[in-house]
Amino acid sequence: MNEVEINAVFLAVALLMALFSTYLIYAVKRGTRGVGFLLVLYLSGSMVIMFLTLAFFFSTQSKVTEAVAFLANSLYMILGLFVILTLAQRKVEVRNSYTVALFAFTMAVSEALMGETFYAIDTKTLGNPLLGVENLYYLLTMLIEMGFAVFISFRNMTTPLKYYLLVLLPIMGLSPVTFPDNTPFIYDVTWASTSLMIVATILIYETLYRDRLKATQDTMTSLELMVIFTLMMGGEFLYFLVGSWYLFDLASILGMTWAIYRAIEGPSKIRGNYLRDTWWTFAFISLTFVMEWFMGGVLDFVTGVIQPGVSGFLSSLSLGFVSPSAYFGLGTLFDFVSAFSTVTGSVWFLVMMGTEMGALATMRIPQLKNKENKVRFALMISAYAIYTIYLPSFSPWTSKLPYIPYMWSMGLGTMGPVSPSYLLTGIIGTYVVTAVLSFLFGSRQICSVTCTAPLMYQGTFYDSLKTYNRKSGLGRKTLTSRLRPWYKAIVIGVWAVLLTSAVVSYLTQVGVINVTIFGVDTTVFLYSLFFNMLWYVVFISIPFLGTYACATQGWCSWGTFNQFFGSLGFFKLKVRDPSVCLKCETKACANACPVGLTDMAGSFIRKGEFKSMKCVGVGDCVEACPYDNVFFYDVRHKLRDIFHKRG
């Protein structure tokens, strides 16, 4: 037979298998129980044994392998029938969630082994155990069976599960292993699948947020889907790193298993609520971040920011790579920071995060009633797109940004070492400009607009996590405007380290000394450590630290700088009538504050205004006030008051 005829036979077999498998799926979905369900399990298992032995046989085609294949199928047939008859006689009901999951798994494995058999026929060799996933015939049968399972179950599914399965189908279909030797194809489907996965992640966030006030089955179901996404992105990252699709192939089998199982069984029976379950929320956020880190890394590989292969990856690290055993093992920590921050500091990771978080922030805008807050949200989203993404990475002024005040963004270290050419305009100029802006408008100009943190904290899902400011042990200790001793110690410690590194960096740049951290400028290293690594550790620890821990616990030097000058300036929150606050029973303003300023209401009653170094001007208090009594006050209102008095 020529190649065309062989492929035609393969296609016919694949379609017959898909047809037979869809019948078995239909039988299970219809509610087949007892002996009928046992027969379904028996038949699905027989496909696994059949293709397993066929792949083994065609890889060698000897009398021995032929005998082994025949013996294995015969034993399965005899023992399987014996088990069925025994259980049927004893009237044992074997159908439950575990056996249905086993059925779904055998469906996925049998199709993978079918692909393995086709490979053995073509090459007369046996490939890796998951190689069967890496061909068009597996993809075809997988999509037919998954699609059929979704189709026959669609009417009875919950709405979130419908969306989850509908978005999973094309993601599974856009498999880069379909033509594993075609690099352009791999790159194209990677872009398409990651885009769909971002959409799916936003959908998961919104599903959880919509049901935030009750325990639902969607909570655990969402976590399951996120596990599959994480394995898929981890598999693609592993391919670019070491050239192996093993993990991605495994993720494909698990994804098919999950889709068929959930289509038959419905959402998870475990009910949960992310606002009540601290550890579940931490697991979900952490898993999401791991998936996003892999996704950012994959996009970096595709765009050439990181070179493929282990050696290419190590040579692309932003801080470089040193011997892990250097300085009694400190080299290992350095390499970890370098690898971690290479991805989190890359433009494509920021684009991907901005797309997700920007979508969540955009979805919150219709919920806002205060015009000024709507404008701030628009500025916040635009600032991320322009200030964080476009200007540093894509604009024609990229190389000149270090010399421009306010473009040194996060303070010392962002744009490079503290060199004389940057010192006056780039660094000192940035601090002067932001100090003036914070004095005039409050620290919100950074902490609620320009910084990347507000976009991440203020979208629908993550904004709702401010409940952990009151629920978590450490979060409760940050409540009120009081600056606790440990807060001051953290701020002093962070600034001491930062200023020391700045002095060392400057003296090294002018040739007085030569001190670096494994060859990396001290401020550059600290920036990567603080903003490209520790910031994300703080972020995913929201269930234990509360929201805006960067501001409430003093970890962000740039934040405390602007908060300090903001507390000296004009910005404050005021109320139109303090007596309204006195009668208010809800104290909704304090409950809504994402920084946990619970003494806000008392200050409104006593003074008619509220001013705190911790206040970053998010404006949730303005939104939450049921009497529209709270408003922002800054230099604009101060000037208006001055001119009004003169008039």
Side-chain angles (χ1 to χ4, degrees), residues 360-392:
L360 298 179
T362 301
M363 291 175 182
R364 195 171 164 219
I365 292 178
Q367 302 174 17
L368 303 175
K369 59 183 180 181
N370 180 268
K371 181 179 179 180
E372 186 166 347
N373 224 13
K374 290 183 177 182
V375 171
R376 185 188 64 78
F377 259 70
L379 289 174
M380 176 182 72
I381 297 169
S382 300
Y384 189 98
I386 298 172
Y387 189 73
T388 302
I389 303 296
Y390 175 70
L391 290 177

PDB file of all heavy atoms in Angstrom, residues 360-392:
ATOM      1  N   LEU A 360     -10.909  42.591  33.457  1.00  0.00           N
ATOM      2  CA  LEU A 360     -11.648  42.566  34.732  1.00  0.00           C
ATOM      3  C   LEU A 360     -11.931  43.980  35.219  1.00  0.00           C
ATOM      4  O   LEU A 360     -13.013  44.254  35.768  1.00  0.00           O
ATOM      5  CB  LEU A 360     -10.841  41.797  35.788  1.00  0.00           C
ATOM      6  CG  LEU A 360     -10.567  40.323  35.501  1.00  0.00           C
ATOM      7  CD1 LEU A 360      -9.743  39.707  36.628  1.00  0.00           C
ATOM      8  CD2 LEU A 360     -11.858  39.541  35.318  1.00  0.00           C
ATOM      9  N   ALA A 361     -10.967  44.891  35.029  1.00  0.00           N
ATOM     10  CA  ALA A 361     -11.185  46.280  35.432  1.00  0.00           C
ATOM     11  C   ALA A 361     -12.250  46.943  34.567  1.00  0.00           C
ATOM     12  O   ALA A 361     -13.101  47.694  35.056  1.00  0.00           O
ATOM     13  CB  ALA A 361      -9.871  47.053  35.346  1.00  0.00           C
ATOM     14  N   THR A 362     -12.222  46.649  33.278  1.00  0.00           N
ATOM     15  CA  THR A 362     -13.215  47.206  32.364  1.00  0.00           C
ATOM     16  C   THR A 362     -14.616  46.737  32.729  1.00  0.00           C
ATOM     17  O   THR A 362     -15.593  47.509  32.660  1.00  0.00           O
ATOM     18  CB  THR A 362     -12.893  46.803  30.916  1.00  0.00           C
ATOM     19  OG1 THR A 362     -11.583  47.273  30.580  1.00  0.00           O
ATOM     20  CG2 THR A 362     -13.903  47.386  29.944  1.00  0.00           C
ATOM     21  N   MET A 363     -14.727  45.471  33.137  1.00  0.00           N
ATOM     22  CA  MET A 363     -16.025  44.926  33.528  1.00  0.00           C
ATOM     23  C   MET A 363     -16.556  45.569  34.811  1.00  0.00           C
ATOM     24  O   MET A 363     -17.753  45.502  35.089  1.00  0.00           O
ATOM     25  CB  MET A 363     -15.913  43.416  33.729  1.00  0.00           C
ATOM     26  CG  MET A 363     -15.674  42.649  32.439  1.00  0.00           C
ATOM     27  SD  MET A 363     -15.404  40.895  32.744  1.00  0.00           S
ATOM     28  CE  MET A 363     -15.087  40.295  31.075  1.00  0.00           C
ATOM     29  N   ARG A 364     -15.677  46.193  35.552  1.00  0.00           N
ATOM     30  CA  ARG A 364     -16.121  46.840  36.792  1.00  0.00           C
ATOM     31  C   ARG A 364     -16.611  48.259  36.567  1.00  0.00           C
ATOM     32  O   ARG A 364     -17.365  48.802  37.381  1.00  0.00           O
ATOM     33  CB  ARG A 364     -14.963  46.849  37.799  1.00  0.00           C
ATOM     34  CG  ARG A 364     -15.434  47.167  39.209  1.00  0.00           C
ATOM     35  CD  ARG A 364     -14.386  46.981  40.254  1.00  0.00           C
ATOM     36  NE  ARG A 364     -14.797  47.648  41.479  1.00  0.00           N
ATOM     37  CZ  ARG A 364     -13.994  48.319  42.276  1.00  0.00           C
ATOM     38  NH1 ARG A 364     -12.708  48.418  41.991  1.00  0.00           N
ATOM     39  NH2 ARG A 364     -14.453  48.903  43.378  1.00  0.00           N
ATOM     40  N   ILE A 365     -16.201  48.874  35.473  1.00  0.00           N
ATOM     41  CA  ILE A 365     -16.570  50.269  35.228  1.00  0.00           C
ATOM     42  C   ILE A 365     -18.086  50.493  35.253  1.00  0.00           C
ATOM     43  O   ILE A 365     -18.554  51.469  35.852  1.00  0.00           O
ATOM     44  CB  ILE A 365     -15.953  50.763  33.895  1.00  0.00           C
ATOM     45  CG1 ILE A 365     -14.430  50.844  34.036  1.00  0.00           C
ATOM     46  CG2 ILE A 365     -16.533  52.112  33.500  1.00  0.00           C
ATOM     47  CD1 ILE A 365     -13.709  51.271  32.769  1.00  0.00           C
ATOM     48  N   PRO A 366     -18.908  49.621  34.616  1.00  0.00           N
ATOM     49  CA  PRO A 366     -20.359  49.849  34.672  1.00  0.00           C
ATOM     50  C   PRO A 366     -20.933  49.813  36.100  1.00  0.00           C
ATOM     51  O   PRO A 366     -22.024  50.335  36.338  1.00  0.00           O
ATOM     52  CB  PRO A 366     -20.925  48.685  33.841  1.00  0.00           C
ATOM     53  CG  PRO A 366     -19.820  48.303  32.931  1.00  0.00           C
ATOM     54  CD  PRO A 366     -18.573  48.492  33.732  1.00  0.00           C
ATOM     55  N   GLN A 367     -20.204  49.220  37.035  1.00  0.00           N
ATOM     56  CA  GLN A 367     -20.679  49.146  38.417  1.00  0.00           C
ATOM     57  C   GLN A 367     -20.398  50.433  39.181  1.00  0.00           C
ATOM     58  O   GLN A 367     -20.927  50.639  40.273  1.00  0.00           O
ATOM     59  CB  GLN A 367     -20.011  47.975  39.147  1.00  0.00           C
ATOM     60  CG  GLN A 367     -20.232  46.618  38.489  1.00  0.00           C
ATOM     61  CD  GLN A 367     -19.451  45.520  39.162  1.00  0.00           C
ATOM     62  OE1 GLN A 367     -18.977  45.655  40.288  1.00  0.00           O
ATOM     63  NE2 GLN A 367     -19.284  44.387  38.470  1.00  0.00           N
ATOM     64  N   LEU A 368     -19.556  51.306  38.608  1.00  0.00           N
ATOM     65  CA  LEU A 368     -19.172  52.537  39.283  1.00  0.00           C
ATOM     66  C   LEU A 368     -20.227  53.618  39.041  1.00  0.00           C
ATOM     67  O   LEU A 368     -20.786  53.714  37.961  1.00  0.00           O
ATOM     68  CB  LEU A 368     -17.818  53.021  38.770  1.00  0.00           C
ATOM     69  CG  LEU A 368     -16.649  52.032  38.889  1.00  0.00           C
ATOM     70  CD1 LEU A 368     -15.401  52.609  38.217  1.00  0.00           C
ATOM     71  CD2 LEU A 368     -16.369  51.698  40.345  1.00  0.00           C
ATOM     72  N   LYS A 369     -20.456  54.418  40.045  1.00  0.00           N
ATOM     73  CA  LYS A 369     -21.434  55.495  39.901  1.00  0.00           C
ATOM     74  C   LYS A 369     -20.793  56.881  39.945  1.00  0.00           C
ATOM     75  O   LYS A 369     -21.368  57.855  39.484  1.00  0.00           O
ATOM     76  CB  LYS A 369     -22.493  55.394  41.000  1.00  0.00           C
ATOM     77  CG  LYS A 369     -21.940  55.479  42.414  1.00  0.00           C
ATOM     78  CD  LYS A 369     -23.037  55.301  43.458  1.00  0.00           C
ATOM     79  CE  LYS A 369     -22.464  55.395  44.877  1.00  0.00           C
ATOM     80  NZ  LYS A 369     -23.504  55.198  45.915  1.00  0.00           N
ATOM     81  N   ASN A 370     -19.572  56.955  40.511  1.00  0.00           N
ATOM     82  CA  ASN A 370     -18.884  58.222  40.627  1.00  0.00           C
ATOM     83  C   ASN A 370     -18.124  58.542  39.347  1.00  0.00           C
ATOM     84  O   ASN A 370     -17.305  57.735  38.890  1.00  0.00           O
ATOM     85  CB  ASN A 370     -17.922  58.188  41.826  1.00  0.00           C
ATOM     86  CG  ASN A 370     -17.168  59.489  42.012  1.00  0.00           C
ATOM     87  OD1 ASN A 370     -16.081  59.650  41.496  1.00  0.00           O
ATOM     88  ND2 ASN A 370     -17.758  60.418  42.741  1.00  0.00           N
ATOM     89  N   LYS A 371     -18.380  59.688  38.775  1.00  0.00           N
ATOM     90  CA  LYS A 371     -17.775  60.055  37.497  1.00  0.00           C
ATOM     91  C   LYS A 371     -16.261  60.123  37.600  1.00  0.00           C
ATOM     92  O   LYS A 371     -15.538  59.636  36.723  1.00  0.00           O
ATOM     93  CB  LYS A 371     -18.334  61.400  37.021  1.00  0.00           C
ATOM     94  CG  LYS A 371     -17.770  61.848  35.677  1.00  0.00           C
ATOM     95  CD  LYS A 371     -18.385  63.175  35.240  1.00  0.00           C
ATOM     96  CE  LYS A 371     -17.781  63.622  33.911  1.00  0.00           C
ATOM     97  NZ  LYS A 371     -18.359  64.915  33.475  1.00  0.00           N
ATOM     98  N   GLU A 372     -15.747  60.720  38.682  1.00  0.00           N
ATOM     99  CA  GLU A 372     -14.302  60.847  38.836  1.00  0.00           C
ATOM    100  C   GLU A 372     -13.633  59.473  38.935  1.00  0.00           C
ATOM    101  O   GLU A 372     -12.534  59.267  38.429  1.00  0.00           O
ATOM    102  CB  GLU A 372     -13.970  61.673  40.071  1.00  0.00           C
ATOM    103  CG  GLU A 372     -12.495  61.964  40.213  1.00  0.00           C
ATOM    104  CD  GLU A 372     -12.187  63.044  41.237  1.00  0.00           C
ATOM    105  OE1 GLU A 372     -13.128  63.740  41.668  1.00  0.00           O
ATOM    106  OE2 GLU A 372     -11.009  63.192  41.593  1.00  0.00           O
ATOM    107  N   ASN A 373     -14.313  58.540  39.570  1.00  0.00           N
ATOM    108  CA  ASN A 373     -13.756  57.195  39.692  1.00  0.00           C
ATOM    109  C   ASN A 373     -13.759  56.479  38.340  1.00  0.00           C
ATOM    110  O   ASN A 373     -12.852  55.710  38.030  1.00  0.00           O
ATOM    111  CB  ASN A 373     -14.538  56.391  40.722  1.00  0.00           C
ATOM    112  CG  ASN A 373     -13.618  55.602  41.634  1.00  0.00           C
ATOM    113  OD1 ASN A 373     -12.412  55.818  41.671  1.00  0.00           O
ATOM    114  ND2 ASN A 373     -14.175  54.677  42.375  1.00  0.00           N
ATOM    115  N   LYS A 374     -14.791  56.724  37.538  1.00  0.00           N
ATOM    116  CA  LYS A 374     -14.813  56.151  36.187  1.00  0.00           C
ATOM    117  C   LYS A 374     -13.653  56.689  35.358  1.00  0.00           C
ATOM    118  O   LYS A 374     -13.006  55.935  34.616  1.00  0.00           O
ATOM    119  CB  LYS A 374     -16.141  56.468  35.504  1.00  0.00           C
ATOM    120  CG  LYS A 374     -17.336  55.724  36.078  1.00  0.00           C
ATOM    121  CD  LYS A 374     -18.596  56.036  35.289  1.00  0.00           C
ATOM    122  CE  LYS A 374     -19.778  55.228  35.815  1.00  0.00           C
ATOM    123  NZ  LYS A 374     -21.025  55.465  35.048  1.00  0.00           N
ATOM    124  N   VAL A 375     -13.400  57.985  35.501  1.00  0.00           N
ATOM    125  CA  VAL A 375     -12.278  58.586  34.780  1.00  0.00           C
ATOM    126  C   VAL A 375     -10.965  57.977  35.260  1.00  0.00           C
ATOM    127  O   VAL A 375     -10.076  57.674  34.455  1.00  0.00           O
ATOM    128  CB  VAL A 375     -12.268  60.116  34.979  1.00  0.00           C
ATOM    129  CG1 VAL A 375     -10.982  60.717  34.412  1.00  0.00           C
ATOM    130  CG2 VAL A 375     -13.483  60.752  34.328  1.00  0.00           C
ATOM    131  N   ARG A 376     -10.851  57.781  36.579  1.00  0.00           N
ATOM    132  CA  ARG A 376      -9.619  57.186  37.112  1.00  0.00           C
ATOM    133  C   ARG A 376      -9.426  55.777  36.564  1.00  0.00           C
ATOM    134  O   ARG A 376      -8.297  55.375  36.236  1.00  0.00           O
ATOM    135  CB  ARG A 376      -9.650  57.159  38.645  1.00  0.00           C
ATOM    136  CG  ARG A 376      -8.339  56.656  39.248  1.00  0.00           C
ATOM    137  CD  ARG A 376      -8.449  56.464  40.738  1.00  0.00           C
ATOM    138  NE  ARG A 376      -9.395  55.432  41.090  1.00  0.00           N
ATOM    139  CZ  ARG A 376      -9.164  54.132  41.014  1.00  0.00           C
ATOM    140  NH1 ARG A 376      -8.006  53.689  40.568  1.00  0.00           N
ATOM    141  NH2 ARG A 376     -10.079  53.259  41.362  1.00  0.00           N
ATOM    142  N   PHE A 377     -10.484  54.997  36.473  1.00  0.00           N
ATOM    143  CA  PHE A 377     -10.370  53.647  35.922  1.00  0.00           C
ATOM    144  C   PHE A 377      -9.900  53.698  34.474  1.00  0.00           C
ATOM    145  O   PHE A 377      -9.046  52.892  34.062  1.00  0.00           O
ATOM    146  CB  PHE A 377     -11.717  52.926  36.014  1.00  0.00           C
ATOM    147  CG  PHE A 377     -11.809  51.956  37.146  1.00  0.00           C
ATOM    148  CD1 PHE A 377     -11.867  52.406  38.455  1.00  0.00           C
ATOM    149  CD2 PHE A 377     -11.819  50.591  36.923  1.00  0.00           C
ATOM    150  CE1 PHE A 377     -11.947  51.519  39.517  1.00  0.00           C
ATOM    151  CE2 PHE A 377     -11.892  49.692  37.962  1.00  0.00           C
ATOM    152  CZ  PHE A 377     -11.955  50.149  39.270  1.00  0.00           C
ATOM    153  N   ALA A 378     -10.447  54.621  33.709  1.00  0.00           N
ATOM    154  CA  ALA A 378     -10.031  54.758  32.312  1.00  0.00           C
ATOM    155  C   ALA A 378      -8.557  55.153  32.230  1.00  0.00           C
ATOM    156  O   ALA A 378      -7.805  54.626  31.392  1.00  0.00           O
ATOM    157  CB  ALA A 378     -10.899  55.790  31.609  1.00  0.00           C
ATOM    158  N   LEU A 379      -8.128  56.064  33.115  1.00  0.00           N
ATOM    159  CA  LEU A 379      -6.726  56.467  33.146  1.00  0.00           C
ATOM    160  C   LEU A 379      -5.837  55.298  33.577  1.00  0.00           C
ATOM    161  O   LEU A 379      -4.741  55.115  33.042  1.00  0.00           O
ATOM    162  CB  LEU A 379      -6.540  57.643  34.108  1.00  0.00           C
ATOM    163  CG  LEU A 379      -7.120  58.985  33.656  1.00  0.00           C
ATOM    164  CD1 LEU A 379      -6.983  60.016  34.780  1.00  0.00           C
ATOM    165  CD2 LEU A 379      -6.413  59.484  32.399  1.00  0.00           C
ATOM    166  N   MET A 380      -6.306  54.526  34.546  1.00  0.00           N
ATOM    167  CA  MET A 380      -5.537  53.391  35.059  1.00  0.00           C
ATOM    168  C   MET A 380      -5.301  52.349  33.961  1.00  0.00           C
ATOM    169  O   MET A 380      -4.181  51.861  33.781  1.00  0.00           O
ATOM    170  CB  MET A 380      -6.286  52.755  36.235  1.00  0.00           C
ATOM    171  CG  MET A 380      -5.666  51.509  36.815  1.00  0.00           C
ATOM    172  SD  MET A 380      -6.691  50.840  38.156  1.00  0.00           S
ATOM    173  CE  MET A 380      -8.093  50.184  37.203  1.00  0.00           C
ATOM    174  N   ILE A 381      -6.341  52.021  33.222  1.00  0.00           N
ATOM    175  CA  ILE A 381      -6.214  51.047  32.138  1.00  0.00           C
ATOM    176  C   ILE A 381      -5.332  51.594  31.026  1.00  0.00           C
ATOM    177  O   ILE A 381      -4.471  50.888  30.482  1.00  0.00           O
ATOM    178  CB  ILE A 381      -7.613  50.669  31.599  1.00  0.00           C
ATOM    179  CG1 ILE A 381      -8.439  49.991  32.701  1.00  0.00           C
ATOM    180  CG2 ILE A 381      -7.490  49.763  30.382  1.00  0.00           C
ATOM    181  CD1 ILE A 381      -9.898  49.818  32.352  1.00  0.00           C
ATOM    182  N   SER A 382      -5.528  52.866  30.701  1.00  0.00           N
ATOM    183  CA  SER A 382      -4.725  53.497  29.645  1.00  0.00           C
ATOM    184  C   SER A 382      -3.267  53.606  30.066  1.00  0.00           C
ATOM    185  O   SER A 382      -2.355  53.408  29.247  1.00  0.00           O
ATOM    186  CB  SER A 382      -5.273  54.891  29.324  1.00  0.00           C
ATOM    187  OG  SER A 382      -6.611  54.824  28.885  1.00  0.00           O
ATOM    188  N   ALA A 383      -3.037  53.918  31.344  1.00  0.00           N
ATOM    189  CA  ALA A 383      -1.670  54.057  31.848  1.00  0.00           C
ATOM    190  C   ALA A 383      -0.916  52.743  31.733  1.00  0.00           C
ATOM    191  O   ALA A 383       0.269  52.717  31.388  1.00  0.00           O
ATOM    192  CB  ALA A 383      -1.681  54.528  33.296  1.00  0.00           C
ATOM    193  N   TYR A 384      -1.597  51.651  32.016  1.00  0.00           N
ATOM    194  CA  TYR A 384      -0.931  50.344  31.892  1.00  0.00           C
ATOM    195  C   TYR A 384      -0.536  50.098  30.436  1.00  0.00           C
ATOM    196  O   TYR A 384       0.585  49.675  30.158  1.00  0.00           O
ATOM    197  CB  TYR A 384      -1.852  49.229  32.387  1.00  0.00           C
ATOM    198  CG  TYR A 384      -1.154  47.887  32.501  1.00  0.00           C
ATOM    199  CD1 TYR A 384      -0.674  47.447  33.722  1.00  0.00           C
ATOM    200  CD2 TYR A 384      -0.965  47.073  31.394  1.00  0.00           C
ATOM    201  CE1 TYR A 384      -0.007  46.225  33.833  1.00  0.00           C
ATOM    202  CE2 TYR A 384      -0.311  45.857  31.486  1.00  0.00           C
ATOM    203  CZ  TYR A 384       0.160  45.432  32.720  1.00  0.00           C
ATOM    204  OH  TYR A 384       0.817  44.231  32.807  1.00  0.00           O
ATOM    205  N   ALA A 385      -1.467  50.381  29.545  1.00  0.00           N
ATOM    206  CA  ALA A 385      -1.202  50.132  28.129  1.00  0.00           C
ATOM    207  C   ALA A 385      -0.091  51.035  27.594  1.00  0.00           C
ATOM    208  O   ALA A 385       0.778  50.589  26.828  1.00  0.00           O
ATOM    209  CB  ALA A 385      -2.478  50.331  27.315  1.00  0.00           C
ATOM    210  N   ILE A 386      -0.110  52.305  28.004  1.00  0.00           N
ATOM    211  CA  ILE A 386       0.850  53.278  27.457  1.00  0.00           C
ATOM    212  C   ILE A 386       2.138  53.318  28.275  1.00  0.00           C
ATOM    213  O   ILE A 386       3.241  53.182  27.747  1.00  0.00           O
ATOM    214  CB  ILE A 386       0.210  54.682  27.402  1.00  0.00           C
ATOM    215  CG1 ILE A 386      -1.005  54.669  26.475  1.00  0.00           C
ATOM    216  CG2 ILE A 386       1.227  55.717  26.930  1.00  0.00           C
ATOM    217  CD1 ILE A 386      -1.816  55.958  26.492  1.00  0.00           C
ATOM    218  N   TYR A 387       1.987  53.501  29.586  1.00  0.00           N
ATOM    219  CA  TYR A 387       3.135  53.735  30.466  1.00  0.00           C
ATOM    220  C   TYR A 387       3.931  52.462  30.722  1.00  0.00           C
ATOM    221  O   TYR A 387       5.163  52.467  30.771  1.00  0.00           O
ATOM    222  CB  TYR A 387       2.619  54.314  31.780  1.00  0.00           C
ATOM    223  CG  TYR A 387       3.676  54.821  32.728  1.00  0.00           C
ATOM    224  CD1 TYR A 387       4.366  56.009  32.467  1.00  0.00           C
ATOM    225  CD2 TYR A 387       3.985  54.130  33.894  1.00  0.00           C
ATOM    226  CE1 TYR A 387       5.325  56.488  33.352  1.00  0.00           C
ATOM    227  CE2 TYR A 387       4.939  54.601  34.776  1.00  0.00           C
ATOM    228  CZ  TYR A 387       5.605  55.780  34.496  1.00  0.00           C
ATOM    229  OH  TYR A 387       6.556  56.248  35.370  1.00  0.00           O
ATOM    230  N   THR A 388       3.227  51.329  30.886  1.00  0.00           N
ATOM    231  CA  THR A 388       3.907  50.075  31.212  1.00  0.00           C
ATOM    232  C   THR A 388       4.300  49.280  29.977  1.00  0.00           C
ATOM    233  O   THR A 388       5.337  48.611  29.988  1.00  0.00           O
ATOM    234  CB  THR A 388       2.996  49.201  32.107  1.00  0.00           C
ATOM    235  OG1 THR A 388       2.655  49.932  33.290  1.00  0.00           O
ATOM    236  CG2 THR A 388       3.679  47.909  32.500  1.00  0.00           C
ATOM    237  N   ILE A 389       3.486  49.339  28.928  1.00  0.00           N
ATOM    238  CA  ILE A 389       3.737  48.498  27.747  1.00  0.00           C
ATOM    239  C   ILE A 389       4.330  49.283  26.574  1.00  0.00           C
ATOM    240  O   ILE A 389       5.444  48.999  26.124  1.00  0.00           O
ATOM    241  CB  ILE A 389       2.436  47.801  27.286  1.00  0.00           C
ATOM    242  CG1 ILE A 389       1.827  46.977  28.428  1.00  0.00           C
ATOM    243  CG2 ILE A 389       2.722  46.924  26.074  1.00  0.00           C
ATOM    244  CD1 ILE A 389       2.677  45.821  28.893  1.00  0.00           C
ATOM    245  N   TYR A 390       3.598  50.273  26.091  1.00  0.00           N
ATOM    246  CA  TYR A 390       3.986  50.921  24.832  1.00  0.00           C
ATOM    247  C   TYR A 390       5.290  51.727  24.938  1.00  0.00           C
ATOM    248  O   TYR A 390       6.233  51.497  24.175  1.00  0.00           O
ATOM    249  CB  TYR A 390       2.858  51.831  24.344  1.00  0.00           C
ATOM    250  CG  TYR A 390       3.235  52.625  23.115  1.00  0.00           C
ATOM    251  CD1 TYR A 390       3.390  52.001  21.882  1.00  0.00           C
ATOM    252  CD2 TYR A 390       3.464  53.998  23.201  1.00  0.00           C
ATOM    253  CE1 TYR A 390       3.756  52.730  20.753  1.00  0.00           C
ATOM    254  CE2 TYR A 390       3.836  54.740  22.081  1.00  0.00           C
ATOM    255  CZ  TYR A 390       3.978  54.098  20.858  1.00  0.00           C
ATOM    256  OH  TYR A 390       4.355  54.812  19.753  1.00  0.00           O
ATOM    257  N   LEU A 391       5.338  52.651  25.879  1.00  0.00           N
ATOM    258  CA  LEU A 391       6.509  53.528  25.950  1.00  0.00           C
ATOM    259  C   LEU A 391       7.817  52.783  26.207  1.00  0.00           C
ATOM    260  O   LEU A 391       8.807  53.004  25.499  1.00  0.00           O
ATOM    261  CB  LEU A 391       6.275  54.614  27.020  1.00  0.00           C
ATOM    262  CG  LEU A 391       5.228  55.676  26.666  1.00  0.00           C
ATOM    263  CD1 LEU A 391       5.041  56.641  27.824  1.00  0.00           C
ATOM    264  CD2 LEU A 391       5.657  56.437  25.413  1.00  0.00           C
ATOM    265  N   PRO A 392       7.874  51.861  27.176  1.00  0.00           N
ATOM    266  CA  PRO A 392       9.157  51.184  27.433  1.00  0.00           C
ATOM    267  C   PRO A 392       9.559  50.168  26.359  1.00  0.00           C
ATOM    268  O   PRO A 392      10.741  49.848  26.237  1.00  0.00           O
ATOM    269  CB  PRO A 392       8.921  50.473  28.781  1.00  0.00           C
ATOM    270  CG  PRO A 392       7.696  51.079  29.355  1.00  0.00           C
ATOM    271  CD  PRO A 392       6.868  51.496  28.188  1.00  0.00           C
TER     272      PRO A 392
END
